């Protein structure tokens, strides 16, 4: 077939969809905004990746063209996140898996919670509740050990008044003998995030390796990964499109993992084969590489952190300036810089606000269906100008209706 089905000399009409002057301001919680420059580059490369005449999606994952993209993404991730590359407990493997962070809720205990072992969970929101439920299911069916909640800060169902929060110092600690301690660094639905103060590190969580679900705040700033034994994150918020989940795991934990579970669930299978044991989500890994390159060009994680702080600061600033109208259901030291959650006086007032935001070209602001309210997700690719526009709208709206 001819390459573009076009006759010599024929002019090309660009469809209207390709010249959209302004796209909606996208506050979706994930899948979420992607940098426009990345989408444009992806469009340009879609039919002809690297001069091969094929889309990246049409290449074999065993071919040189795809493998170059695969390893480039990994090298970029290692450099950008400063992921140590030593042996044993001084190095981390980067794995690309499928099944989302939800699958990791089960795969972590499958690998790391041996029969007779014990794991501690810290629960600060809805995703942490999912994680412990899956760990319990694994323990019950795969002869795993005993996962237990050492601290939960989730208000009782229907309790609208108790603020959501992080554990207090000393409230959430593993004990000697725990295989690991699991937590969620950013609760996407509840808007609770660990260690957001400038330069803050994670609190003292006890002796066991920390396993962190970082789905919604990986790469929001520079973080010392040595505080963690294992990190997992779906890419579709801060790093790229859906379809790939990144696992960053200390090499001694890869080796210590159970080997009597199916090969495809063992971390060592992915570690030994550079995540090319079976077909990886090639397009998602390629696109993540483009997003990482965009972050580099922006100035790396320090520049990203400054952007992210400014965006969240703009929204929280308005919430706090109109305390009779807007209410954040999260304690001030626990507030997420990625997902800003807030309420208006009534569900009707919230619906009116969401309608007005939509009329101003803002999308994705509806709170999760389980909690309602408003949620502005401010991931890396969300433009500071969009957050400023939302803050301005919130000010106007409060002045008009407050
Ligand atoms: N953990 C967190 C913190 C999340 O935000 C999400 C998705 N919103 C998940 C886990 C589940 O991710 P997935 O849909 O990729 O399984």
């Amino acid at each position: 077939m001819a390459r573009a089905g076009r006759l010599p000399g024929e002019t090309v009409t660009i469809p209207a969809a390709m010249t959209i002057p302004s796209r909606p301001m996208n506050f979706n919680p994930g899948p979420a905004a992607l940098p426009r420059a990345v989408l444009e580059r992806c469009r340009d490369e879609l039919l002809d990746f690297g001069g091969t005449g094929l889309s990246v999606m049409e290449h074999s994952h065993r071919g040189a063209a795809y493998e170059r993209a695969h390893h480039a993404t990994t090298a970029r991730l290692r450099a950008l996140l400063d992921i140590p590359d030593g042996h044993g407990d001084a190095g981390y493997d980067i794995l690309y898996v499928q099944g989302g962070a939800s699958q990791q809720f089960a795969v972590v205990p499958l690998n790391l919670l041996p029969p007779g072992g014990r794991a501690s969970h810290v629960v600060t929101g809805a995703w942490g509740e999912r994680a412990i439920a899956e760990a319990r299911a694994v323990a019950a069916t795969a002869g795993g050990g005993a996962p237990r909640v050492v601290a939960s800060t989730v208000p009782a169902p229907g309790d609208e008044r108790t603020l959501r929060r992080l554990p207090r110092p000393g409230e959430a600690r593993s004990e000697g003998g725990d295989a690991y301690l699991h937590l969620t660094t950013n609760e996407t639905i509840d808007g609770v995030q660990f260690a957001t103060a400038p330069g803050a590190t994670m609190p003292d969580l006890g002796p066991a390796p920390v396993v962190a679900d970082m789905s919604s705040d990986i790469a929001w700033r520079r973080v010392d990964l040595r505080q963690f034994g294992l990190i997992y994150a779906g890419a579709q918020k801060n790093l790229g499109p859906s379809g790939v989940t990144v696992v960053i795991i200390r090499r001694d934990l890869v080796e210590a993992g159970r080997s009597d579970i199916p090969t495809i669930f063992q971390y060592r299978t992915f570690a030994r084969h550079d995540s090319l044991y079976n077909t990886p989500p090639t397009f998602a890994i390629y696109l993540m590489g483009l997003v990482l390159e965009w972050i580099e060009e922006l100035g790396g994680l320090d520049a990203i952190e400054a952007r992210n702080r400014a965006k969240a600061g703009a929204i929280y600033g308005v919430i706090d300036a109109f305390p009779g109208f807007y209410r954040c259901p999260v304690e001030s030291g626990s507030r997420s810089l990625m997902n800003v959650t807030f309420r208006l006086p009534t569900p009707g007032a919230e619906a009116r606000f969401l309608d007005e935001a939509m009329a101003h070209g803002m999308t994705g602001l509806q709170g999760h269906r389980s909690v309602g309210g408003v949620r502005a997700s401010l991931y890396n690719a969300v433009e500071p100008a969009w957050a400023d526009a939302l803050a301005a709208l919130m000010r106007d709206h409060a002045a008009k209706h407050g």
Side-chain angles (χ1 to χ4, degrees):
M1 204 173 82
R3 200 157 159 266
R6 197 185 332 137
L7 298 172
E10 193 183 17
T11 53
V12 184
T13 317
I14 298 175
M18 291 174 75
T19 55
I20 294 174
S22 67
R23 307 166 71 232
M25 294 178 254
N26 185 356
F27 297 98
N28 270 326
L34 286 164
R36 184 179 174 121
V38 166
L39 295 175
E40 287 172 346
R41 166 131 174 234
C42 170
R43 176 195 64 197
D44 293 346
E45 294 181 348
L46 198 61
L47 297 190
D48 181 6
F49 171 65
T52 62
L54 297 180
S55 167
V56 65
M57 287 181 278
E58 300 172 288
H59 279 280
S60 164
H61 62 294
R62 308 267 173 233
Y66 173 71
E67 283 203 351
R68 256 197 310 278
H70 186 94
H71 296 305
T73 298
T74 304
R76 287 214 144 85
L77 201 57
R78 193 175 285 285
L80 198 70
L81 269 56
D82 193 16
I83 302 173
D85 203 10
H87 295 292
D89 66 2
Y92 292 74
D93 283 314
I94 298 170
L95 318 178
Y96 305 124
V97 300
Q98 299 187 61
S102 299
Q103 186 159 298
Q104 292 305 303
F105 295 159
V107 172
V108 165
L110 264 179
N111 277 268
L112 300 183
L113 189 55
R118 200 181 53 199
S120 290
H121 281 242
V122 177
V123 180
T124 49
W127 292 109
E129 289 185 321
R130 285 268 191 103
I132 179 76
E134 291 294 79
R136 287 187 170 131
V138 168
T141 58
R148 58 180 187 150
V149 175
V150 287
S152 172
T153 62
V154 179
D159 177 356
E160 292 268 314
R161 277 183 313 178
T162 303
L163 294 180
R164 292 154 207 277
R165 63 172 178 89
L166 294 169
R168 311 266 177 244
E171 193 182 348
R173 280 179 57 85
S174 59
E175 285 175 10
D178 279 352
Y180 58 84
L181 176 140
H182 181 283
L183 54 74
T184 314
T185 47
N186 182 59
E187 280 287 356
T188 320
I189 294 173
D190 307 84
V192 175
Q193 188 180 15
F194 276 92
T196 55
T201 54
M202 295 294 286
D204 176 12
L205 295 160
V210 175
V211 172
D213 175 359
M214 267 194 206
S215 291
S216 49
D217 68 347
I218 190 168
W220 82 274
R221 67 157 171 156
R222 191 194 291 278
V223 166
D224 183 1
L225 298 187
R226 292 171 189 81
Q227 301 168 97
F228 304 94
L230 188 159
I231 289 162
Y232 60 90
Q236 65 268 23
K237 299 161 198 305
N238 260 350
L239 289 181
S242 63
V244 61
T245 303
V246 176
V247 175
I248 301 168
I249 176 171
R250 228 170 58 198
R251 291 187 165 128
D252 61 320
L253 295 176
V254 174
E255 288 318 314
R258 283 176 72 164
S259 50
D260 59 344
I261 57 174
T263 312
I264 197 63
F265 293 138
Q266 294 179 32
Y267 288 127
R268 69 172 60 71
T269 305
F270 289 80
R272 286 183 184 164
H273 296 89
D274 284 335
S275 303
L276 289 162
Y277 169 76
N278 71 329
T279 316
T282 53
F283 180 74
I285 293 169
Y286 149 80
L287 202 74
M288 184 165 72
L290 298 191
V291 172
L292 296 171
E293 203 174 329
W294 172 81
I295 294 176
E296 283 168 16
E297 281 167 12
L298 212 72
L301 291 188
D302 289 341
I304 282 283
E305 176 178 358
R307 258 168 77 98
N308 286 335
R309 285 195 186 284
K311 290 181 288 184
I315 311 296
Y316 283 121
V318 181
I319 294 171
D320 292 339
F322 295 91
F325 192 66
Y326 297 116
R327 180 173 61 85
C328 176
V330 185
E331 274 189 14
S332 66
S334 307
R335 290 173 169 185
S336 169
L337 305 194
M338 297 283 99
N339 309 98
V340 178
T341 54
F342 60 94
R343 311 299 306 229
L344 280 75
T346 63
E350 287 166 349
R352 185 176 57 193
F353 174 80
L354 290 168
D355 283 348
E356 194 173 336
M358 187 70 88
H360 281 78
M362 299 171 190
T363 191
L365 286 166
Q366 192 136 26
H368 190 269
R369 60 187 183 282
S370 62
V371 292
V374 184
R375 169 176 55 172
S377 297
L378 303 174
Y379 303 126
N380 288 344
V382 168
E383 287 296 328
W386 305 350
D388 289 343
L390 175 57
L393 179 76
M394 288 169 67
R395 273 186 193 285
D396 280 1
H397 196 84
K400 226 176 346 174
H401 301 288

